[in-house]
Amino acid sequence: MHLKPLVAITVLLGLNASFCASLPVRRATLCNGHVELCSRSYSNVTFIGAHDSFAFSRDPLELARDQEVNVPTQLRLGVRLLQAQAHVHDGKLHFCHTSCILFDGGTVVNYLSHVKKFLHANPNEVLTLLFTNPEGQSVQDVWKPAFDVAGITPFTYVPPTVPMTASQWPTLGEMIDSGRRVVVFLDAGADTSVVNFILPEFEMIWETPFSVTDPTFPCSVNRISGPLSTEDHTYLINHSLNKDILGTGIIVSDPLDASTTNGIPS
């Protein structure tokens, strides 16, 4: 995807400055499917997200599933934020929730390869990847290599400062024009002095309560950190309904009420 621009730059370096100044600059005219979003900042756009996006199955007995369609299908349906939890399994980073014994979504590299295919096929789309790192795996030694191998790293957005206030984010058009249109957040262990594109989630995003079993979905600040005020954070609303199995504290997703949970009135 980047070879043609690089070749063009190599040729143009030998041309005079006035000719170069007259060349048109690429501008995105359609961003995430809407003209008006090109001038809208990243922090002022609502993105629909898929919780545990890797955990897809149509088997009703697969209680650990959270989705019924795979990641490419989720993206085709309009999902623009993909959430997933990672664990090391058989020496490789896998997406699994709580344990890979409950549900093994495969390697992170394989997952990200599907994301890259979507990015190549859809050059005017901005995506957010929000990953959970419960084992505290190294961003330099474990996470970054997965992005590098899958070919996602060149697409990642690197902010000029961290944390970014809500008002500092670029527009979708600017991100698409730059080619840096994948925003990566990690809930724990991010260190931008080591890996500059894996961003600390809670320093810039606050979340409502998660593992929600209340169908009214309380909209209160649950997780937040860092020096920024709540108003300077962007936010994530956890709108996935769960069931507590027989009051045991074991939480599983509620697919039976999914059409209501994901409906417009809710």
Side-chain angles (χ1 to χ4, degrees):
M1 178 176 179
H2 295 284
L3 291 178
K4 289 184 179 178
L6 287 175
V7 172
I9 290 170
T10 302
V11 173
L12 289 173
L13 287 176
L15 301 177
N16 63 63
S18 61
F19 179 84
C20 293
S22 67
L23 291 174
V25 177
R26 179 180 178 274
R27 289 286 183 266
T29 57
L30 192 67
C31 302
N32 284 45
H34 299 273
V35 173
E36 62 270 25
L37 292 186
C38 289
S39 59
R40 188 82 65 86
S41 70
Y42 170 83
S43 59
N44 195 30
V45 175
T46 299
F47 303 95
I48 187 170
H51 178 74
D52 276 352
S53 54
F54 64 90
F56 62 89
S57 173
R58 291 189 178 275
D59 183 355
L61 299 179
E62 187 74 77
L63 297 181
R65 66 175 180 156
D66 276 313
Q67 308 294 336
E68 292 189 351
V69 296
N70 61 22
V71 169
T73 303
Q74 292 170 29
L75 291 169
R76 285 196 299 271
L77 289 171
V79 167
R80 291 296 176 266
L81 182 149
L82 296 170
Q83 188 274 340
Q85 183 181 113
H87 297 262
V88 170
H89 180 61
D90 291 336
K92 295 182 179 180
L93 196 64
H94 283 230
F95 278 137
C96 311
H97 187 76
T98 306
S99 168
C100 292
I101 296 175
L102 293 176
F103 197 107
D104 186 354
T107 67
V108 173
V109 170
N110 184 61
Y111 176 101
L112 291 176
S113 69
H114 292 297
V115 175
K116 184 187 177 185
K117 289 178 182 177
F118 176 84
L119 291 169
H120 273 301
N122 299 272
N124 290 327
E125 299 292 323
V126 174
L127 298 183
T128 301
L129 303 178
L130 177 59
F131 295 151
T132 302
N133 188 28
E135 296 174 348
Q137 297 296 335
S138 167
V139 289
Q140 183 174 24
D141 300 329
V142 180
W143 282 99
K144 185 179 184 296
F147 284 87
D148 292 343
V149 171
I152 296 291
T153 302
F155 293 94
T156 56
Y157 174 73
V158 179
T161 183
V162 174
M164 292 266 282
T165 66
S167 62
Q168 289 176 319
W169 286 92
T171 65
L172 297 197
E174 290 169 338
M175 297 173 76
I176 291 168
D177 290 343
S178 71
R180 298 281 186 163
R181 51 195 176 90
V182 178
V183 184
V184 182
F185 290 107
L186 198 64
D187 75 328
D191 184 349
T192 53
S193 68
V194 176
V195 179
N196 60 2
F197 67 85
I198 298 180
L199 311 179
E201 177 192 2
F202 297 117
E203 289 188 22
M204 291 180 277
I205 298 174
W206 63 261
E207 287 193 20
T208 61
F210 58 101
S211 296
V212 180
T213 56
D214 182 352
T216 65
F217 296 101
C219 189
S220 57
V221 177
N222 181 262
R223 293 186 287 184
I224 190 172
S225 68
L228 299 182
S229 66
T230 304
E231 291 74 18
D232 282 331
H233 280 64
T234 57
Y235 57 89
L236 184 145
I237 298 176
N238 289 298
H239 198 83
S240 55
L241 190 62
N242 302 274
K243 293 290 187 183
D244 185 341
I245 300 178
L246 301 176
T248 60
I250 299 175
I251 304 297
V252 298
S253 61
D254 179 13
L256 295 179
D257 291 322
S259 59
T260 299
T261 301
N262 297 327
I264 292 175
S266 179

